[in-house]
């Protein structure tokens, strides 16, 4: 049985242990290492990532193709506004550091979290994706983008220097526009 505990990894700051040099985090000759926060502990430093990835699925974080294999490959200009918006968030590797740092995840177990919402933002800005309406519906629901309190913890701790809060702000605008247009 998994235990849900609050943990503070690597001297109280979530980070990649595989990419963090010990000299950068040692305090008073000591380093404290723990599992990622906001995830159930399996054992020692191992966390159960199932809820993290389930939320990614709830946010409709998978590509829904608008074309078949038989259609020609569509060229996407890197200078369009949607492509620039997607590019700013696309490098997420789902390490869950942002999820661990997020206070809203800690307070609201239904909240999808910054990684899942960041992924949804990239897909909403991909002109080849056909899942926009269904995705917006999922993102506007309880625990979706409007639950974010914009504390910026996700951005502050992201080892890839991404800004999920900016992606979430974009989602808030897009869901509100869809609501006003009567699409939600």
């Amino acid at each position: 049985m998994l235990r849900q505990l609050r943990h503070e990894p690597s001297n109280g700051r979530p980070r990649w242990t595989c990419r963090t040099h010990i000299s950068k985090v040692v305090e008073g000759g000591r380093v404290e290492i723990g599992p990622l926060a906001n995830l159930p502990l399996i054992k020692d430093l191992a966390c159960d990532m199932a809820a993290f990835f389930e939320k990614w699925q709830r946010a409709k974080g998978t590509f829904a193709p608008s074309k078949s294999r038989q259609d020609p490959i569509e060229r996407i200009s890197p200078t369009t506004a949607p492509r620039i918006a997607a590019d700013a968030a696309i490098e997420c590797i789902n390490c869950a550091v942002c999820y661990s740092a997020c206070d809203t995840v800690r307070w609201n177990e239904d909240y999808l979290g910054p990684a899942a919402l960041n992924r949804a933002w990239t897909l909403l800005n991909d002109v080849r994706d056909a899942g926009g309406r269904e995705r917006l519906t999922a993102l506007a629901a309880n625990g979706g983008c409007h639950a974010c309190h914009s504390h910026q913890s996700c951005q502050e701790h992201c080892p890839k220097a991404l800004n999920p809060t900016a992606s979430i702000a974009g989602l808030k605008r897009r869901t509100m526009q869809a609501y006003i247009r009567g699409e939600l």
Side-chain angles (χ1 to χ4, degrees):
M1 182 162 125
L2 300 175
R3 295 178 295 150
Q4 178 68 47
L5 300 173
R6 183 166 184 230
H7 306 283
E8 296 299 333
S10 196
N11 288 4
R13 179 182 169 94
R15 62 181 87 229
W16 282 351
T17 55
C18 61
R19 298 271 176 122
T20 303
H21 197 280
I22 197 73
S23 66
K24 303 275 187 206
V25 295
V26 68
E27 294 173 1
R30 296 183 58 113
V31 173
E32 184 178 327
I33 299 173
L36 288 172
N38 301 331
L39 293 164
L41 181 63
I42 294 174
K43 184 177 180 182
D44 300 328
L45 299 177
C47 294
D48 182 0
M49 299 282 289
F52 174 81
F53 289 112
E54 287 166 5
K55 289 178 180 184
W56 203 75
Q57 293 295 320
R58 279 188 26 223
K60 308 296 180 201
T62 54
F63 182 75
S66 59
K67 310 244 180 193
S68 73
R69 292 178 188 252
Q70 289 73 35
D71 292 321
I73 296 174
E74 189 174 352
R75 289 185 177 231
I76 307 297
S77 171
T79 59
T80 64
R83 185 71 240 168
I84 291 168
D87 282 348
I90 201 99
E91 295 298 321
C92 176
I93 62 166
N94 290 311
C95 66
V97 168
C98 63
Y99 191 86
S100 176
C102 182
D103 290 331
T104 306
V105 169
R106 185 172 295 124
W107 303 327
N108 180 353
E109 67 183 34
D110 292 329
Y111 179 53
L112 296 173
L117 294 171
N118 186 69
R119 172 63 177 166
W121 175 247
T122 65
L123 291 172
L124 279 176
N125 286 289
D126 188 333
V127 296
R128 302 165 298 170
D129 183 82
R133 175 171 251 135
E134 184 181 358
R135 190 171 293 113
L136 282 174
T137 300
L139 301 173
N142 286 341
C145 62
H146 295 282
C148 175
H149 292 194
S150 302
H151 290 164
Q152 292 278 11
S153 296
C154 53
Q155 181 271 332
E156 179 184 334
H157 293 85
C158 179
K160 299 289 283 178
L162 301 178
N163 188 351
T165 306
S167 298
I168 295 166
L171 292 173
K172 289 177 179 181
R173 285 189 302 276
R174 293 281 285 275
T175 56
M176 188 54 66
Q177 290 166 349
Y179 178 77
I180 290 169
R181 289 191 302 261
E183 297 170 1
L184 291 179

